[in-house]
Amino acid sequence: MQTEQFIQKLLSETEMIISQVNQLKSYDLAQLRWRESDASWNVLECLEHLNLYGDFYLPVMERDIRHSSSSSEAEFKSGMLGGYFAKSMLPKGKLNKMKTFKDKNPLNSKLDGAVLDRFLEQQDKLIMLLNSARTVSLNKVKIELSITKFLKLKLGDVFQFYINHMMRHMNQIDGILAANNNRPCIPS
């Protein structure tokens, strides 16, 4: 894919995510904290999960973009492993459950509206990084993964994986809100 077209696609996806989270700011905390079951995440926990990944990936991408001596190329070609990881994060019709790492699982955390602000700040940082990435090679800059420092993927694949992961959880948030709106009213 053409590098500029790829970056524009990622920026557009990020803007849609920002718009969705800005809409969540109109919900009250009870709606954002509602969960379908004791073992399921609420809206704030979904966003906090993404914040925890942002805490890792955004500084690593910023560091590696800043220290790269590579030049941008006309085309980005996804790697086999990176492309697989990115596609595995895409939301599907029925959300396929994935096990999350314990340090990235916010279940039953005491969260408030600050989670949304932190998430939106991270999105501003992501937009800045996507724009900065126009000057480096999305193919040659390699980013370590949160699960191991020994495995590195192309910067372009990590951007796509990271954004697909957010889209997956935005889809999950839509499901949580729909389930909350469709639950029967219990008279007091």
Side-chain angles (χ1 to χ4, degrees):
M1 177 180 271
Q2 295 295 316
T3 298
E4 184 56 31
Q5 181 184 2
F6 181 66
I7 289 174
Q8 279 304 127
K9 176 177 115 28
L10 298 175
L11 284 166
S12 176
E13 291 167 349
T14 303
E15 291 293 342
M16 288 188 319
I17 292 166
I18 289 170
S19 176
Q20 187 175 352
V21 173
N22 275 322
Q23 289 175 0
L24 292 174
K25 292 182 123 200
S26 68
Y27 286 73
D28 64 37
L29 277 178
Q31 291 170 298
L32 298 174
R33 288 179 174 153
W34 181 84
R35 70 180 75 247
E36 209 164 351
S37 72
D38 290 343
S40 63
W41 287 348
N42 62 38
V43 170
L44 292 176
E45 289 165 344
C46 288
L47 291 171
E48 181 63 10
H49 169 73
L50 294 173
N51 285 340
L52 295 170
Y53 274 97
D55 288 345
F56 176 82
Y57 281 107
L58 295 171
V60 170
M61 288 189 286
E62 181 176 28
R63 177 197 69 206
D64 292 352
I65 289 169
R66 184 176 293 144
H67 292 111
S68 175
S69 58
S70 69
S71 298
S72 63
E73 299 155 323
E75 192 167 327
F76 169 67
K77 184 169 173 23
S78 185
M80 199 164 78
L81 189 58
Y84 170 79
F85 281 147
K87 283 182 186 137
S88 75
M89 281 296 125
L90 279 171
K92 296 167 181 62
K94 183 183 183 306
L95 195 65
N96 54 326
K97 300 254 183 191
M98 293 181 137
K99 197 89 163 131
T100 193
F101 292 97
K102 191 175 183 179
D103 67 327
K104 303 289 189 283
N105 188 346
L107 184 66
N108 295 319
S109 298
K110 301 275 187 254
L111 301 171
D112 60 27
V115 169
L116 286 90
D117 295 330
R118 184 166 154 231
F119 181 83
L120 291 168
E121 287 171 14
Q122 287 188 357
Q123 298 317 292
D124 289 342
K125 180 69 141 186
L126 177 59
I127 288 172
M128 187 268 308
L129 292 173
L130 285 165
N131 285 316
S132 296
R134 288 183 162 110
T135 64
V136 299
S137 170
L138 297 180
N139 296 300
K140 293 179 183 169
V141 174
K142 304 290 185 181
I143 306 296
E144 67 191 54
L145 300 183
S146 62
I147 55 173
T148 177
K149 294 179 190 289
F150 301 109
L151 182 61
K152 294 185 175 195
L153 299 177
K154 294 178 179 187
L155 174 61
D157 283 331
V158 173
F159 273 132
Q160 188 65 76
F161 168 84
Y162 183 69
I163 292 169
N164 286 357
H165 184 222
M166 288 188 290
M167 291 189 324
R168 171 189 185 79
H169 288 292
M170 292 298 115
N171 188 299
Q172 182 181 7
I173 286 169
D174 286 344
I176 293 167
L177 295 172
N180 188 15
N181 288 335
N182 292 330
R183 69 186 169 136
C185 292
I186 301 169
S188 355

